[in-house]
Amino acid sequence: MLPSGSDLGRRLHDYGPGLVAAVAFAGADIFTKLALAAGTDVLTIATVRSLLGVGLTAAWIALGRAPVPLTATERGVASAVGVLYAGIIFCVFKAIELLTVPMAILTYFSYPLVTGIAGALLGVEKLGWRGLAAAAVAFAGLALTIGANPGDVSLAGIAYALAAAACRVAVLLVSRVWLLRADARLSTWYSGLVTTALFCVASLVLQHFVPPVGPVGWLWVVLIGVTTTTGVAVLFVSTTRIGPFLTALTMNLEPLLATVLSALFLGELFTPVQALGAAVMIASLFAFQLRR
């Protein structure tokens, strides 16, 4: 039976922010590839994106309800997380530079699996045989996707994507322990300041800034900042409406959306075997998180 208008409206209200976040981050993945094609490079994109992110986060805080100030410990942890975020941003952008967008994002999305396994080893959460089985199948799907055409895959790109996943795992575990009760807007603000400072210092020390060619190239760079910051903001809304578990489940749509968008706008296609591996991994991601 089809849902009534009121049921559909309620579901859109509850799940809409998570869906918007998945679309925003998938869009940012595509814009990154387009910006790189317009002549800029990873450090420049990361620096401009971080500067825009800090400004938009300040507006996000100013326009919302007054946040509860963070404790000294929370501020310190959020600042440390900023270092990890810098690693995520740089490594994801490098992976997208060296790989197709679907391959980069699918490899990066090994982080929910690694987070669950690491959390179980550290005693943060429980992981039964169903979770281990789903994780094993998901990694098999990823291996199938990567190994289907090994000659066409950049090992450095895979390494960058896995490094980004490792940084993401650390962020999730640290946030779960020390930032669980912190206002996400302020933790994002403090971490964003550190991330931006790191990229700006790197650009100044290396005297490195490679602007994109033409206004269209600048449009892609600006859209990266807008979409990533929007994604973070609506993730905060989604978490308050449906909780972190269902929000994380919804975010598994990002690699699927990135694959579809990259086929439409970049002409990046999986072979049938790679598509099978990707489908297995995405399905197993859902199964892994639904084990709870």
mmCIF file of all heavy atoms in Angstrom, residues 45-62 82 85 89 185-200 222 224-226 228-230 232:
data_model
loop_
_atom_site.group_PDB
_atom_site.id
_atom_site.type_symbol
_atom_site.label_atom_id
_atom_site.label_comp_id
_atom_site.label_asym_id
_atom_site.label_seq_id
_atom_site.Cartn_x
_atom_site.Cartn_y
_atom_site.Cartn_z
ATOM 1 N N ILE A 45 42.666 23.591 -4.133
ATOM 2 C CA ILE A 45 41.254 23.300 -3.879
ATOM 3 C C ILE A 45 41.011 23.151 -2.383
ATOM 4 O O ILE A 45 40.039 23.699 -1.838
ATOM 5 C CB ILE A 45 40.818 22.013 -4.605
ATOM 6 C CG1 ILE A 45 40.893 22.196 -6.116
ATOM 7 C CG2 ILE A 45 39.395 21.628 -4.211
ATOM 8 C CD1 ILE A 45 40.603 20.921 -6.891
ATOM 9 N N ALA A 46 41.889 22.419 -1.708
ATOM 10 C CA ALA A 46 41.715 22.190 -0.270
ATOM 11 C C ALA A 46 41.779 23.497 0.511
ATOM 12 O O ALA A 46 41.006 23.707 1.458
ATOM 13 C CB ALA A 46 42.779 21.217 0.231
ATOM 14 N N THR A 47 42.676 24.398 0.114
ATOM 15 C CA THR A 47 42.824 25.673 0.822
ATOM 16 C C THR A 47 41.597 26.550 0.621
ATOM 17 O O THR A 47 41.027 27.076 1.596
ATOM 18 C CB THR A 47 44.076 26.409 0.322
ATOM 19 O OG1 THR A 47 45.224 25.572 0.513
ATOM 20 C CG2 THR A 47 44.277 27.713 1.088
ATOM 21 N N VAL A 48 41.177 26.724 -0.616
ATOM 22 C CA VAL A 48 40.007 27.565 -0.893
ATOM 23 C C VAL A 48 38.754 26.957 -0.279
ATOM 24 O O VAL A 48 37.933 27.657 0.320
ATOM 25 C CB VAL A 48 39.825 27.754 -2.411
ATOM 26 C CG1 VAL A 48 38.548 28.541 -2.703
ATOM 27 C CG2 VAL A 48 41.039 28.465 -3.013
ATOM 28 N N ARG A 49 38.596 25.640 -0.409
ATOM 29 C CA ARG A 49 37.437 24.963 0.164
ATOM 30 C C ARG A 49 37.372 25.175 1.670
ATOM 31 O O ARG A 49 36.295 25.401 2.239
ATOM 32 C CB ARG A 49 37.511 23.472 -0.150
ATOM 33 C CG ARG A 49 36.411 22.635 0.502
ATOM 34 C CD ARG A 49 36.948 21.829 1.673
ATOM 35 N NE ARG A 49 35.864 21.166 2.377
ATOM 36 C CZ ARG A 49 35.641 21.321 3.660
ATOM 37 N NH1 ARG A 49 36.384 22.126 4.390
ATOM 38 N NH2 ARG A 49 34.646 20.682 4.242
ATOM 39 N N SER A 50 38.515 25.118 2.355
ATOM 40 C CA SER A 50 38.536 25.275 3.808
ATOM 41 C C SER A 50 38.206 26.710 4.217
ATOM 42 O O SER A 50 37.488 26.937 5.196
ATOM 43 C CB SER A 50 39.900 24.856 4.355
ATOM 44 O OG SER A 50 40.150 23.490 4.070
ATOM 45 N N LEU A 51 38.736 27.689 3.473
ATOM 46 C CA LEU A 51 38.413 29.089 3.765
ATOM 47 C C LEU A 51 36.914 29.349 3.604
ATOM 48 O O LEU A 51 36.281 29.995 4.453
ATOM 49 C CB LEU A 51 39.216 30.004 2.839
ATOM 50 C CG LEU A 51 40.715 30.124 3.151
ATOM 51 C CD1 LEU A 51 41.441 30.812 1.990
ATOM 52 C CD2 LEU A 51 40.930 30.906 4.445
ATOM 53 N N LEU A 52 36.341 28.849 2.519
ATOM 54 C CA LEU A 52 34.906 29.005 2.312
ATOM 55 C C LEU A 52 34.121 28.284 3.407
ATOM 56 O O LEU A 52 33.111 28.785 3.901
ATOM 57 C CB LEU A 52 34.507 28.448 0.945
ATOM 58 C CG LEU A 52 34.924 29.260 -0.275
ATOM 59 C CD1 LEU A 52 34.653 28.467 -1.548
ATOM 60 C CD2 LEU A 52 34.165 30.582 -0.320
ATOM 61 N N GLY A 53 34.607 27.117 3.796
ATOM 62 C CA GLY A 53 33.918 26.335 4.819
ATOM 63 C C GLY A 53 33.857 27.048 6.150
ATOM 64 O O GLY A 53 32.831 27.030 6.835
ATOM 65 N N VAL A 54 34.955 27.697 6.543
ATOM 66 C CA VAL A 54 34.972 28.441 7.805
ATOM 67 C C VAL A 54 33.968 29.583 7.772
ATOM 68 O O VAL A 54 33.217 29.813 8.727
ATOM 69 C CB VAL A 54 36.394 28.967 8.099
ATOM 70 C CG1 VAL A 54 36.366 30.010 9.200
ATOM 71 C CG2 VAL A 54 37.301 27.812 8.503
ATOM 72 N N GLY A 55 33.929 30.316 6.652
ATOM 73 C CA GLY A 55 32.982 31.420 6.532
ATOM 74 C C GLY A 55 31.537 30.955 6.575
ATOM 75 O O GLY A 55 30.687 31.551 7.262
ATOM 76 N N LEU A 56 31.244 29.872 5.863
ATOM 77 C CA LEU A 56 29.872 29.355 5.841
ATOM 78 C C LEU A 56 29.484 28.744 7.189
ATOM 79 O O LEU A 56 28.325 28.844 7.608
ATOM 80 C CB LEU A 56 29.737 28.307 4.734
ATOM 81 C CG LEU A 56 29.812 28.863 3.311
ATOM 82 C CD1 LEU A 56 29.891 27.726 2.292
ATOM 83 C CD2 LEU A 56 28.606 29.746 3.004
ATOM 84 N N THR A 57 30.439 28.131 7.886
ATOM 85 C CA THR A 57 30.146 27.588 9.215
ATOM 86 C C THR A 57 29.839 28.710 10.200
ATOM 87 O O THR A 57 28.946 28.579 11.052
ATOM 88 C CB THR A 57 31.331 26.746 9.727
ATOM 89 O OG1 THR A 57 31.597 25.693 8.807
ATOM 90 C CG2 THR A 57 31.010 26.143 11.092
ATOM 91 N N ALA A 58 30.565 29.834 10.089
ATOM 92 C CA ALA A 58 30.283 30.984 10.945
ATOM 93 C C ALA A 58 28.861 31.489 10.712
ATOM 94 O O ALA A 58 28.130 31.808 11.670
ATOM 95 C CB ALA A 58 31.301 32.096 10.678
ATOM 96 N N ALA A 59 28.439 31.525 9.452
ATOM 97 C CA ALA A 59 27.070 31.945 9.140
ATOM 98 C C ALA A 59 26.064 30.939 9.677
ATOM 99 O O ALA A 59 24.992 31.314 10.193
ATOM 100 C CB ALA A 59 26.911 32.097 7.625
ATOM 101 N N TRP A 60 26.383 29.655 9.569
ATOM 102 C CA TRP A 60 25.516 28.589 10.082
ATOM 103 C C TRP A 60 25.283 28.751 11.579
ATOM 104 O O TRP A 60 24.164 28.649 12.073
ATOM 105 C CB TRP A 60 26.185 27.264 9.745
ATOM 106 C CG TRP A 60 25.508 26.025 10.264
ATOM 107 C CD1 TRP A 60 24.178 25.827 10.498
ATOM 108 C CD2 TRP A 60 26.157 24.797 10.579
ATOM 109 N NE1 TRP A 60 23.955 24.547 10.948
ATOM 110 C CE2 TRP A 60 25.146 23.891 11.000
ATOM 111 C CE3 TRP A 60 27.483 24.356 10.529
ATOM 112 C CZ2 TRP A 60 25.440 22.582 11.391
ATOM 113 C CZ3 TRP A 60 27.770 23.049 10.898
ATOM 114 C CH2 TRP A 60 26.755 22.179 11.334
ATOM 115 N N ILE A 61 26.357 29.061 12.324
ATOM 116 C CA ILE A 61 26.241 29.251 13.769
ATOM 117 C C ILE A 61 25.437 30.509 14.084
ATOM 118 O O ILE A 61 24.562 30.513 14.962
ATOM 119 C CB ILE A 61 27.642 29.336 14.408
ATOM 120 C CG1 ILE A 61 28.370 27.991 14.252
ATOM 121 C CG2 ILE A 61 27.542 29.722 15.886
ATOM 122 C CD1 ILE A 61 29.815 28.040 14.663
ATOM 123 N N ALA A 62 25.723 31.584 13.345
ATOM 124 C CA ALA A 62 25.062 32.860 13.617
ATOM 125 C C ALA A 62 23.562 32.809 13.338
ATOM 126 O O ALA A 62 22.767 33.461 14.036
ATOM 127 C CB ALA A 62 25.713 33.966 12.784
ATOM 128 N N GLY A 82 40.555 18.550 13.696
ATOM 129 C CA GLY A 82 40.836 19.374 12.518
ATOM 130 C C GLY A 82 42.044 18.887 11.740
ATOM 131 O O GLY A 82 42.080 18.987 10.508
ATOM 132 N N TYR A 85 40.811 15.967 9.810
ATOM 133 C CA TYR A 85 39.983 16.429 8.693
ATOM 134 C C TYR A 85 40.853 16.910 7.533
ATOM 135 O O TYR A 85 40.512 16.692 6.361
ATOM 136 C CB TYR A 85 39.054 17.549 9.135
ATOM 137 C CG TYR A 85 37.703 17.073 9.613
ATOM 138 C CD1 TYR A 85 37.195 17.488 10.836
ATOM 139 C CD2 TYR A 85 36.925 16.207 8.851
ATOM 140 C CE1 TYR A 85 35.955 17.053 11.296
ATOM 141 C CE2 TYR A 85 35.694 15.768 9.291
ATOM 142 C CZ TYR A 85 35.219 16.197 10.510
ATOM 143 O OH TYR A 85 34.003 15.752 10.956
ATOM 144 N N ILE A 89 40.453 15.502 3.753
ATOM 145 C CA ILE A 89 40.215 16.356 2.591
ATOM 146 C C ILE A 89 41.316 16.173 1.547
ATOM 147 O O ILE A 89 41.044 15.945 0.360
ATOM 148 C CB ILE A 89 40.122 17.829 3.025
ATOM 149 C CG1 ILE A 89 38.862 18.044 3.872
ATOM 150 C CG2 ILE A 89 40.119 18.762 1.818
ATOM 151 C CD1 ILE A 89 38.829 19.386 4.586
ATOM 152 N N ARG A 185 27.914 22.140 15.517
ATOM 153 C CA ARG A 185 28.295 23.371 14.825
ATOM 154 C C ARG A 185 29.604 23.925 15.377
ATOM 155 O O ARG A 185 30.498 24.334 14.611
ATOM 156 C CB ARG A 185 27.190 24.409 14.959
ATOM 157 C CG ARG A 185 25.892 24.029 14.266
ATOM 158 C CD ARG A 185 24.777 24.982 14.634
ATOM 159 N NE ARG A 185 24.460 24.885 16.065
ATOM 160 C CZ ARG A 185 23.699 25.760 16.728
ATOM 161 N NH1 ARG A 185 23.192 26.801 16.081
ATOM 162 N NH2 ARG A 185 23.451 25.601 18.005
ATOM 163 N N LEU A 186 29.742 23.915 16.715
ATOM 164 C CA LEU A 186 30.965 24.448 17.310
ATOM 165 C C LEU A 186 32.144 23.511 17.109
ATOM 166 O O LEU A 186 33.267 23.962 16.867
ATOM 167 C CB LEU A 186 30.749 24.702 18.806
ATOM 168 C CG LEU A 186 29.867 25.900 19.167
ATOM 169 C CD1 LEU A 186 29.808 26.082 20.676
ATOM 170 C CD2 LEU A 186 30.389 27.173 18.515
ATOM 171 N N SER A 187 31.916 22.201 17.201
ATOM 172 C CA SER A 187 33.022 21.268 16.958
ATOM 173 C C SER A 187 33.488 21.380 15.510
ATOM 174 O O SER A 187 34.689 21.311 15.224
ATOM 175 C CB SER A 187 32.604 19.843 17.302
ATOM 176 O OG SER A 187 31.498 19.429 16.540
ATOM 177 N N THR A 188 32.535 21.591 14.586
ATOM 178 C CA THR A 188 32.895 21.803 13.180
ATOM 179 C C THR A 188 33.684 23.099 13.016
ATOM 180 O O THR A 188 34.648 23.168 12.241
ATOM 181 C CB THR A 188 31.629 21.854 12.312
ATOM 182 O OG1 THR A 188 30.915 20.625 12.432
ATOM 183 C CG2 THR A 188 31.977 22.089 10.846
ATOM 184 N N TRP A 189 33.286 24.133 13.755
ATOM 185 C CA TRP A 189 33.958 25.432 13.692
ATOM 186 C C TRP A 189 35.418 25.316 14.145
ATOM 187 O O TRP A 189 36.335 25.742 13.446
ATOM 188 C CB TRP A 189 33.208 26.439 14.536
ATOM 189 C CG TRP A 189 33.943 27.713 14.823
ATOM 190 C CD1 TRP A 189 34.511 28.092 16.004
ATOM 191 C CD2 TRP A 189 34.201 28.793 13.906
ATOM 192 N NE1 TRP A 189 35.099 29.325 15.887
ATOM 193 C CE2 TRP A 189 34.922 29.789 14.616
ATOM 194 C CE3 TRP A 189 33.883 29.012 12.574
ATOM 195 C CZ2 TRP A 189 35.325 30.961 14.022
ATOM 196 C CZ3 TRP A 189 34.295 30.203 11.980
ATOM 197 C CH2 TRP A 189 34.996 31.162 12.702
ATOM 198 N N TYR A 190 35.640 24.714 15.316
ATOM 199 C CA TYR A 190 37.000 24.605 15.843
ATOM 200 C C TYR A 190 37.875 23.706 14.975
ATOM 201 O O TYR A 190 39.033 24.026 14.711
ATOM 202 C CB TYR A 190 36.970 24.085 17.286
ATOM 203 C CG TYR A 190 36.555 25.135 18.296
ATOM 204 C CD1 TYR A 190 35.311 25.092 18.901
ATOM 205 C CD2 TYR A 190 37.419 26.172 18.628
ATOM 206 C CE1 TYR A 190 34.924 26.064 19.816
ATOM 207 C CE2 TYR A 190 37.046 27.148 19.546
ATOM 208 C CZ TYR A 190 35.791 27.092 20.137
ATOM 209 O OH TYR A 190 35.422 28.059 21.034
ATOM 210 N N SER A 191 37.321 22.599 14.531
ATOM 211 C CA SER A 191 38.107 21.722 13.665
ATOM 212 C C SER A 191 38.384 22.394 12.326
ATOM 213 O O SER A 191 39.479 22.272 11.760
ATOM 214 C CB SER A 191 37.387 20.389 13.458
ATOM 215 O OG SER A 191 36.145 20.571 12.814
ATOM 216 N N GLY A 192 37.394 23.149 11.825
ATOM 217 C CA GLY A 192 37.570 23.852 10.556
ATOM 218 C C GLY A 192 38.650 24.908 10.616
ATOM 219 O O GLY A 192 39.394 25.124 9.636
ATOM 220 N N LEU A 193 38.759 25.598 11.747
ATOM 221 C CA LEU A 193 39.820 26.599 11.905
ATOM 222 C C LEU A 193 41.202 25.959 11.792
ATOM 223 O O LEU A 193 42.097 26.499 11.128
ATOM 224 C CB LEU A 193 39.680 27.296 13.260
ATOM 225 C CG LEU A 193 38.522 28.285 13.425
ATOM 226 C CD1 LEU A 193 38.484 28.819 14.861
ATOM 227 C CD2 LEU A 193 38.646 29.442 12.436
ATOM 228 N N VAL A 194 41.366 24.818 12.431
ATOM 229 C CA VAL A 194 42.668 24.142 12.390
ATOM 230 C C VAL A 194 42.949 23.628 10.985
ATOM 231 O O VAL A 194 44.060 23.790 10.461
ATOM 232 C CB VAL A 194 42.694 22.982 13.408
ATOM 233 C CG1 VAL A 194 43.962 22.146 13.243
ATOM 234 C CG2 VAL A 194 42.604 23.529 14.830
ATOM 235 N N THR A 195 41.946 23.013 10.358
ATOM 236 C CA THR A 195 42.121 22.512 8.993
ATOM 237 C C THR A 195 42.527 23.638 8.047
ATOM 238 O O THR A 195 43.464 23.494 7.249
ATOM 239 C CB THR A 195 40.807 21.875 8.497
ATOM 240 O OG1 THR A 195 40.450 20.791 9.348
ATOM 241 C CG2 THR A 195 40.966 21.369 7.071
ATOM 242 N N THR A 196 41.824 24.761 8.144
ATOM 243 C CA THR A 196 42.112 25.904 7.273
ATOM 244 C C THR A 196 43.501 26.454 7.528
ATOM 245 O O THR A 196 44.244 26.773 6.582
ATOM 246 C CB THR A 196 41.063 27.006 7.500
ATOM 247 O OG1 THR A 196 39.767 26.470 7.264
ATOM 248 C CG2 THR A 196 41.298 28.182 6.560
ATOM 249 N N ALA A 197 43.877 26.560 8.810
ATOM 250 C CA ALA A 197 45.207 27.064 9.149
ATOM 251 C C ALA A 197 46.293 26.172 8.562
ATOM 252 O O ALA A 197 47.295 26.670 8.018
ATOM 253 C CB ALA A 197 45.354 27.153 10.666
ATOM 254 N N LEU A 198 46.107 24.869 8.627
ATOM 255 C CA LEU A 198 47.112 23.943 8.094
ATOM 256 C C LEU A 198 47.285 24.121 6.587
ATOM 257 O O LEU A 198 48.419 24.181 6.079
ATOM 258 C CB LEU A 198 46.709 22.503 8.407
ATOM 259 C CG LEU A 198 46.844 22.056 9.864
ATOM 260 C CD1 LEU A 198 46.251 20.673 10.056
ATOM 261 C CD2 LEU A 198 48.308 22.064 10.294
ATOM 262 N N PHE A 199 46.185 24.213 5.863
ATOM 263 C CA PHE A 199 46.287 24.359 4.413
ATOM 264 C C PHE A 199 46.847 25.731 4.022
ATOM 265 O O PHE A 199 47.626 25.845 3.069
ATOM 266 C CB PHE A 199 44.928 24.136 3.754
ATOM 267 C CG PHE A 199 44.521 22.691 3.686
ATOM 268 C CD1 PHE A 199 43.270 22.286 4.118
ATOM 269 C CD2 PHE A 199 45.390 21.733 3.186
ATOM 270 C CE1 PHE A 199 42.895 20.952 4.062
ATOM 271 C CE2 PHE A 199 45.020 20.396 3.122
ATOM 272 C CZ PHE A 199 43.771 20.003 3.564
ATOM 273 N N CYS A 200 46.453 26.773 4.751
ATOM 274 C CA CYS A 200 46.977 28.109 4.439
ATOM 275 C C CYS A 200 48.477 28.192 4.704
ATOM 276 O O CYS A 200 49.232 28.762 3.899
ATOM 277 C CB CYS A 200 46.232 29.163 5.268
ATOM 278 S SG CYS A 200 44.538 29.473 4.724
ATOM 279 N N VAL A 222 34.351 26.947 -5.969
ATOM 280 C CA VAL A 222 33.411 27.536 -5.007
ATOM 281 C C VAL A 222 32.315 26.533 -4.649
ATOM 282 O O VAL A 222 31.921 26.399 -3.474
ATOM 283 C CB VAL A 222 32.795 28.833 -5.571
ATOM 284 C CG1 VAL A 222 31.650 29.322 -4.689
ATOM 285 C CG2 VAL A 222 33.868 29.908 -5.695
ATOM 286 N N ILE A 224 32.532 23.364 -4.547
ATOM 287 C CA ILE A 224 33.075 22.360 -3.627
ATOM 288 C C ILE A 224 32.915 22.831 -2.183
ATOM 289 O O ILE A 224 32.463 22.079 -1.306
ATOM 290 C CB ILE A 224 34.557 22.073 -3.933
ATOM 291 C CG1 ILE A 224 34.697 21.399 -5.295
ATOM 292 C CG2 ILE A 224 35.179 21.187 -2.848
ATOM 293 C CD1 ILE A 224 36.126 21.364 -5.810
ATOM 294 N N GLY A 225 33.284 24.100 -1.936
ATOM 295 C CA GLY A 225 33.138 24.648 -0.586
ATOM 296 C C GLY A 225 31.692 24.700 -0.132
ATOM 297 O O GLY A 225 31.364 24.360 1.004
ATOM 298 N N VAL A 226 30.804 25.107 -1.038
ATOM 299 C CA VAL A 226 29.389 25.238 -0.696
ATOM 300 C C VAL A 226 28.762 23.871 -0.422
ATOM 301 O O VAL A 226 28.058 23.678 0.580
ATOM 302 C CB VAL A 226 28.623 25.964 -1.823
ATOM 303 C CG1 VAL A 226 27.120 25.929 -1.552
ATOM 304 C CG2 VAL A 226 29.103 27.406 -1.946
ATOM 305 N N THR A 228 30.208 20.892 0.324
ATOM 306 C CA THR A 228 30.738 20.163 1.477
ATOM 307 C C THR A 228 30.246 20.769 2.781
ATOM 308 O O THR A 228 29.885 20.047 3.716
ATOM 309 C CB THR A 228 32.275 20.129 1.463
ATOM 310 O OG1 THR A 228 32.793 21.462 1.326
ATOM 311 C CG2 THR A 228 32.788 19.288 0.317
ATOM 312 N N THR A 229 30.211 22.107 2.865
ATOM 313 C CA THR A 229 29.715 22.745 4.089
ATOM 314 C C THR A 229 28.223 22.496 4.257
ATOM 315 O O THR A 229 27.748 22.245 5.377
ATOM 316 C CB THR A 229 29.991 24.257 4.059
ATOM 317 O OG1 THR A 229 31.384 24.482 3.813
ATOM 318 C CG2 THR A 229 29.626 24.896 5.392
ATOM 319 N N THR A 230 27.474 22.550 3.159
ATOM 320 C CA THR A 230 26.043 22.225 3.219
ATOM 321 C C THR A 230 25.839 20.792 3.692
ATOM 322 O O THR A 230 24.953 20.514 4.519
ATOM 323 C CB THR A 230 25.395 22.413 1.840
ATOM 324 O OG1 THR A 230 25.538 23.776 1.432
ATOM 325 C CG2 THR A 230 23.909 22.057 1.887
ATOM 326 N N VAL A 232 27.756 18.999 5.642
ATOM 327 C CA VAL A 232 28.009 18.923 7.087
ATOM 328 C C VAL A 232 26.826 19.484 7.869
ATOM 329 O O VAL A 232 26.388 18.909 8.870
ATOM 330 C CB VAL A 232 29.302 19.680 7.439
ATOM 331 C CG1 VAL A 232 29.456 19.789 8.956
ATOM 332 C CG2 VAL A 232 30.513 18.978 6.842
#
